[in-house]
Amino acid sequence: NLKMGIVGLPNVGKSTFFNTISKLNVAAENYPFCTIEPNEARVPLPDERYDWLCEAYKPVSRVPAFLEIWDIAGLVRGAHEGQGLGNAFLSNIQAVDGIYHMCRAFEDDEVIHVEGSLDPVRDLRIVADELRFKDLERAQRALADAQARLARAGQQAPKELRLEDETLQKVIEILEKEEKAIRHHNWNNAEIEILNRHLFLTAKPVVYLVNLSERDYLRKKNKWLLAIKEYAGEDPVIPFSAALEAHLVDLELNDGREAMENYRSQQGIHSALPKIIRGGYQALNLINFFTVGADEVRSWTIRRGTLAPQAAGTIHTDFERGFICAEVMHYDDLREAGSESALKAAGKYRQQGKTYEVQDGDILLIKFNV
Ligand code: GDP
């Protein structure tokens, strides 16, 4: 399972946000064999396609897709040197596949700032630098190791080892001289294969979450936003308000969804949660396919590029082992045709084999041998 981790300096709103999304955890009865850890949240993916399918099939049971999000406790300056449990934090970041990097852009004299003043770009740099320093240490160790092996091999050194040596030197150059994250460099396939073996922290996709005051969030204005977007470059930036999201979720849990929606529309409030969850999904390169029927409508999560047998395997390992074919209709075609029979009449119901790459929004029926 691919997962996002929430990372940021202390007191930026990580726990507030994590506690809020934890209250939305998908119903555990759908996942009888997986326990949820205290620092893990499974947040249903907001998806109007899934909502529509549930409405159309009116199934007995419905299971949405979810995004797995981990809370990674506060990172501080000097973490890579072991400051304030630094190494434990960094190894937790190691275990996630993408990062929600949260910063604080709300003023509140009651909430202490670890760096003494409000400056989100400086804060983002502090955390990014810690990750970069950690990668640099790791790359230097790996390079020393590769060079020792090169020296032992002498003239017989395989091409693979030379390429590893060159790639690691390039990694060090990018981290140290250019002060860049590994994800911000264009690597070729051979290099990517080597990078994948080292699990560098700055290679992971990042989504920036900017915690604003309710007021700034609602008026869509904050004096730091432009600088943050400039700093983020191509990485997505999502402004939100942790306090506001907490309020909305509590309202929903206490007074019901309808009461919350009423309040939201009266006040003209848009929750940023759907955007945040979809942003994490995109960062991890995840897509959905669906299975539908009178008994169950379910949304499944796979990585973009997954072939039909492996997609079938996420439903059940037998489906992958005995895979014969998949009968496929696309959500958009179903929506347009209005019904399965109209879709079939339009010739949009297709049989796909083992080499079919499942597309976002496919509805699958797997045929398999037992
Ligand atoms: P963490 O250390 O990053 O996990 O931060 P917390 O979630 O514990 O938040 C630190 C403090 O900031 C707490 O006192 C929160 O109540 C407060 N806080 C969090 N989000 C907001 C916000 O959006 N606005 C304001 N004014 N305070 C917030």
Side-chain angles (χ1 to χ4, degrees):
N1 263 5
L2 296 183
K3 37 193 174 280
M4 294 292 286
I6 307 169
V7 173
L9 289 183
N11 273 356
V12 299
K14 295 185 303 297
S15 317
T16 307
F17 177 67
F18 181 77
N19 292 338
T20 303
I21 56 173
S22 294
K23 293 177 183 167
L24 301 171
N25 268 340
V26 292
E29 67 261 24
N30 294 318
Y31 304 94
F33 303 110
C34 6
T35 49
I36 297 190
E37 303 291 330
N39 56 339
E40 176 193 1
R42 292 192 190 147
V43 196
L45 177 73
D47 185 348
E48 62 157 27
R49 301 171 302 179
Y50 168 77
D51 295 339
W52 188 88
L53 290 169
C54 287
E55 200 46 47
Y57 287 86
K58 304 212 171 6
V60 178
S61 107
R62 34 192 87 184
V63 187
F66 65 84
L67 178 66
E68 200 173 315
I69 302 177
W70 287 71
D71 184 23
I72 299 175
L75 203 115
V76 292
R77 200 194 276 282
H80 74 286
E81 294 164 325
Q83 291 292 326
L85 298 177
N87 280 317
F89 294 141
L90 290 165
S91 64
N92 285 336
I93 300 175
Q94 185 81 55
V96 299
D97 305 283
I99 294 171
Y100 280 130
H101 187 169
M102 187 179 298
C103 66
R104 167 176 166 184
F106 65 85
E107 308 267 358
D108 188 338
D109 294 338
E110 305 280 301
V111 181
I112 291 171
H113 199 297
V114 279
E115 292 288 322
S117 64
L118 190 63
D119 184 346
V121 175
R122 172 205 57 203
D123 293 354
L124 290 173
R125 279 217 178 87
I126 291 173
V127 172
D129 281 347
E130 290 305 325
L131 305 187
R132 198 161 55 80
F133 295 149
K134 194 69 195 177
D135 277 355
L136 188 58
E137 257 176 43
R138 179 171 294 155
Q140 280 162 340
R141 244 182 295 128
L143 180 67
D145 181 62
Q147 291 188 333
R149 278 183 291 143
L150 262 182
R152 274 198 304 276
Q155 294 296 322
Q156 272 83 51
K159 207 169 109 224
E160 171 76 347
L161 193 51
R162 291 181 200 283
L163 185 64
E164 170 138 13
D165 172 64
E166 281 163 26
T167 307
L168 288 168
Q169 292 194 39
K170 202 157 151 188
V171 165
I172 290 169
E173 165 115 13
I174 280 155
L175 292 167
E176 196 171 32
K177 298 234 171 64
E178 298 185 25
E179 300 188 8
K180 263 180 23 185
I182 289 173
R183 69 180 177 283
H184 290 148
H185 184 77
N186 274 327
W187 303 93
N188 66 36
N189 286 339
E191 290 169 335
I192 288 171
E193 217 170 284
I194 289 165
L195 293 177
N196 282 345
R197 288 206 294 269
H198 293 282
L199 307 169
F200 291 115
L201 302 175
T202 66
K204 296 175 195 284
V206 172
V207 175
Y208 292 101
L209 303 183
V210 185
N211 191 5
L212 304 176
S213 66
E214 292 194 30
R215 182 166 168 270
D216 280 2
Y217 175 72
L218 293 175
R219 64 182 190 142
K220 298 193 165 82
K221 265 208 185 121
N222 177 275
K223 65 172 177 177
W224 302 101
L225 269 179
L226 190 64
I228 293 170
K229 283 187 178 150
E230 255 168 37
Y231 171 81
E234 284 169 23
D235 297 327
V237 174
I238 305 179
F240 80 117
S241 164
L244 179 69
E245 299 297 346
H247 181 61
L248 289 178
V249 168
D250 284 339
L251 196 63
E252 177 170 349
L253 293 179
N254 295 329
D255 300 344
R257 184 165 193 109
E258 205 173 324
M260 186 276 284
E261 292 291 352
N262 282 339
Y263 171 80
R264 246 185 11 80
S265 58
Q266 270 164 22
Q267 307 284 320
I269 301 172
H270 282 275
S271 165
L273 269 189
K275 195 164 175 190
I276 293 173
I277 297 159
R278 282 196 221 104
Y281 232 70
Q282 270 159 15
L284 297 178
N285 223 350
L286 299 175
I287 60 170
N288 301 101
F289 73 87
F290 304 97
T291 50
V292 298
D295 48 339
E296 185 184 83
V297 165
R298 187 163 180 152
S299 178
W300 301 86
T301 301
I302 50 173
R303 201 135 205 208
R304 190 179 295 284
T306 302
L307 300 182
Q310 286 71 48
T314 60
I315 305 174
H316 199 291
T317 47
D318 287 351
F319 287 16
E320 181 173 356
R321 217 179 306 127
F323 183 89
I324 301 169
C325 70
E327 295 184 347
V328 185
M329 51 181 172
H330 195 273
Y331 167 80
D332 293 339
D333 294 332
L334 180 63
R335 185 89 196 249
E336 198 189 315
S339 71
E340 276 188 37
S341 49
L343 171 137
K344 282 178 184 160
K348 300 240 167 100
Y349 195 79
R350 301 195 174 94
Q351 225 174 54
Q352 302 284 5
K354 290 189 173 159
T355 58
Y356 177 70
E357 183 185 314
V358 175
Q359 304 296 305
D360 190 30
D362 273 351
I363 301 167
L364 300 185
L365 180 68
I366 307 298
K367 303 274 165 160
F368 67 106
N369 281 319
V370 263

